[in-house]
Amino acid sequence: MSTLMLASEIGRRPVVTLSGEAVAQVKDIVFEGRAGRVSGFTLSGRGIFSGPKRQALPWAAVTALGPHAVMVRDEAAFEARSEVVDRGEAAGGDVLGSQVLTDAGTDLGKVTDVVIEVSVTAATVVGYQVASTEALGRQERTVYIPLPETVAVSGEALVIPASATDFVADDLPGFTGMVPAFRARLKDA
């Protein structure tokens, strides 16, 4: 079973050991750009005055990513921050604020968040939350747009197939079935 989450919801989530000790909190998500999946998390200490930790959490050491916490066996799961960050590819950089264009040249809006599908074995980017343009008939509304398994991202724009506009949802629960349906259409085409 998998669950959809927004990347912004994962930030500041506590990292808790299976013995119940809160040992850190998520600072940032590290993405593998080409693979489109989460490779780990940078961490900060717990509390208002805590700064970034020198350690990070690789995805392979996560036992669960739930709605309230990231679970790990123990603090031995942490690695040097540089190792986890270096595993993630910086290709494309931060997509927040990027323009979403179809391969037909239509501006669909700007990315406001990343939709991640979390399963037992992986956390994969499956779509974007977008502040839409009138091209979608939902100007200045938040919508969810699915992504193909591979996507072209530059520092300024995200290019998706025009057929993705047939699978836009107005909310995250409604988006759940859109990604597999969209990807199935791409495979049939």
Side-chain angles (χ1 to χ4, degrees), residues 14-24 46 69-74:
V15 177
V16 180
T17 67
L18 292 178
S19 63
E21 183 182 358
V23 293
R46 300 277 296 150
V70 178
M71 302 301 294
V72 296
R73 271 194 211 299
D74 54 39

Side-chain angles (χ1 to χ4, degrees), residues 141-152:
R141 285 185 37 202
T142 298
V143 297
Y144 298 86
I145 297 177
L147 294 178
E149 291 183 36
T150 59
V151 66

Side-chain angles (χ1 to χ4, degrees), residues 21-67:
E21 183 182 358
V23 293
Q25 70 181 24
V26 173
K27 182 176 183 306
D28 291 308
I29 300 172
V30 179
F31 291 103
E32 287 182 50
R34 290 191 182 113
R37 60 179 178 247
V38 173
S39 63
F41 305 99
T42 61
L43 305 171
S44 62
R46 300 277 296 150
I48 297 172
F49 300 109
S50 296
K53 287 178 124 355
R54 293 182 186 192
Q55 297 170 310
L57 177 61
W59 176 259
V62 173
T63 60
L65 173 55

Side-chain angles (χ1 to χ4, degrees), residues 79-91:
E79 293 182 5
R81 188 177 197 276
S82 61
E83 288 181 33
V84 174
V85 172
D86 288 348
R87 267 187 228 127
E89 298 170 346

